[in-house]
Amino acid sequence: MTPAELSRTVLRSVRGAVEEQELSVTVPARIVVGPPPRPGCGDYASNVALQLAGPAGRPAREVAEILRKRLAGSAGIARVEIAGPGFLNFTLGDGALVALVREVLARGEEYGASSAGRAPGSTDAVAGPAANGPVAAGPMANGPVPAGAREAVVAEALARIDAVAGTPGREAVGHPALVPAPYDLATLTARLGSDEARWVLLRPAAHDRVRVPERPVQRESNPRFQVQYAHARVRALLRNAGDLGLVSEPGDVWPSSTAAAGGSSSAGPAPEQAPGHGATDPSALPGPQALQALRTLLATYPSVIDVAARLRAPDRVVRHLEATAEAFFRWHDVCPPLPVGEQKPLAVHRARLALAEAAGTVLANGLRLLGISAPAHL
């Protein structure tokens, strides 16, 4: 279940409560769900009960309980809990991750595009600066160029984002006033290279100034390098898997016999139980936390594209890619996608490889929107 699907499910529960006169409110046009505020609070959270409490004239926790009862047992939802003043926390069913990975891999370059949009490179994508065909690695192509390096690169990225978000032509509206870059695009590209130049121009929010490094740093402390390195690492995993005759297949990324027990298996590390303690909440262990963070980032990528288009903020995409790369490496270190040493390839390795491939797909799609290369080798 994706965040969009969960949002529609919650919206149906509100509509049902109104139709059956459990709540007397105007049904909202949409309901926002997002990552929970901290680990251990489920997969997603929503403040819809707090929003409806005032119009309904009832305490938020009472509204939340009405919705919780309606949502309990819904397909794809394993558990609904009420937290704090009335937040709803959702834990998805066991098949949610498998369904997400299948969707990402099935859609490929189209993942993140709305039903009204097309991925860059599609023949019927909306025309705009570099919106069609392969992403150029250099400065903007022919056509009117906004004044200033930052304005030019932001306008180009927004044209691509608009194309996949299904909002073509919005680039004509413009974007928030940008703090100018200290150098022109040619100077930045000569100094940093095309990818680094674009990254430093796109990363800050509109009101923040551009920080230009003395030179590009090719290590993980550089966010742009880490994102590209994560993508290259995925491609290397797939090449090495091919050498082993291992094919990715969405499935359970934890060995079923050990994940609950907190032990280890021949498939690699499973969540570890803290020494000297009794049973540990699995959601508080590093493995499940890393997996949940990565799953949430992959699932919310399409909504990030929509927000970036609506707010004219390509920096939202940049920061989402940075978080995705970081989450990928944290998960990768706990759950090796490939057999280690004398281990034999198992179903869990195929599942982990599929999740890694899905992460690589999101990273590649996001980099493509920004006009930055997604290298297979680094």
Side-chain angles (χ1 to χ4, degrees):
M1 174 175 284
T2 65
E5 291 169 339
L6 179 57
S7 175
R8 290 192 291 269
T9 299
V10 178
L11 183 59
R12 284 195 295 270
S13 74
V14 173
R15 186 176 293 113
V18 171
E19 291 174 350
E20 296 181 17
Q21 299 183 359
E22 288 186 283
L23 290 175
S24 179
V25 296
T26 300
V27 177
R30 61 191 292 267
I31 289 173
V32 176
V33 299
R38 58 184 180 277
C41 295
D43 297 308
Y44 296 102
S46 176
N47 65 350
V48 60
L50 283 81
Q51 294 176 337
L52 298 178
R58 304 171 75 166
R61 286 188 66 91
E62 188 176 313
V63 175
E65 178 60 20
I66 292 172
L67 299 180
R68 187 196 68 79
K69 290 180 178 178
R70 287 183 163 273
L71 289 163
S74 297
I77 300 177
R79 188 167 65 253
V80 184
E81 298 172 307
I82 301 172
F87 292 98
L88 288 171
N89 291 342
F90 304 93
T91 300
L92 303 185
D94 293 338
L97 177 61
V98 175
L100 171 64
V101 173
R102 288 191 188 280
E103 179 187 3
V104 176
L105 297 183
R107 297 196 65 191
E109 290 187 4
E110 293 285 342
Y111 183 68
S114 73
S115 58
R118 301 288 293 177
S122 300
T123 56
D124 56 348
V126 176
N132 294 323
V135 173
M140 290 182 65
N142 296 332
V145 178
R150 192 177 184 187
E151 290 82 357
V153 172
V154 166
E156 182 181 333
L158 285 174
R160 294 195 193 92
I161 291 171
D162 286 336
V164 302
T167 55
R170 187 183 279 180
E171 65 268 17
V173 177
H175 47 70
L178 299 170
V179 176
Y183 306 100
D184 61 40
L185 188 54
T187 300
L188 282 173
T189 301
R191 174 174 169 176
L192 302 176
S194 177
D195 285 350
E196 184 76 4
R198 288 169 182 269
W199 192 273
V200 300
L201 292 170
L202 292 168
R203 189 174 192 265
H207 58 274
D208 291 334
R209 68 184 182 88
V210 174
R211 299 177 182 274
V212 180
E214 287 296 322
R215 55 186 175 82
V217 178
Q218 298 295 92
R219 56 175 178 262
E220 291 180 41
S221 60
N222 179 347
R224 186 270 310 163
F225 176 83
Q226 185 178 41
V227 170
Q228 291 182 313
Y229 179 50
H231 178 267
R233 178 58 183 155
V234 170
R235 303 311 304 174
L237 287 170
L238 293 171
R239 290 193 299 271
N240 293 338
D243 293 340
L244 295 173
L246 188 63
V247 179
S248 66
E249 175 62 34
D252 188 354
V253 298
W254 293 119
S256 57
S257 61
T258 59
S264 60
S265 79
S266 60
E272 296 180 358
Q273 183 169 306
H277 293 272
T280 304
D281 177 6
S283 66
L285 295 169
Q289 282 189 12
L291 176 61
Q292 179 177 316
L294 181 58
R295 178 175 72 179
T296 299
L297 287 161
L298 300 186
T300 54
Y301 173 73
S303 64
V304 169
I305 300 305
D306 290 339
V307 170
R310 178 164 49 85
L311 299 183
R312 320 309 293 148
D315 59 285
R316 299 294 186 104
V317 179
V318 174
R319 296 185 186 281
H320 193 83
L321 295 182
E322 291 178 2
T324 301
E326 183 179 348
F328 167 74
F329 282 121
R330 285 202 309 269
W331 168 79
H332 171 280
D333 292 344
V334 178
C335 303
L338 298 182
V340 178
E342 299 300 319
Q343 293 173 359
K344 294 182 179 179
L346 301 173
V348 70
H349 293 120
R350 292 194 292 273
R352 291 175 180 178
L353 188 64
L355 177 55
E357 188 176 2
T361 298
V362 167
L363 292 171
N365 289 357
L367 287 168
R368 189 178 302 109
L369 290 181
L370 301 176
I372 295 171
S373 65
H377 302 268
L378 200 60

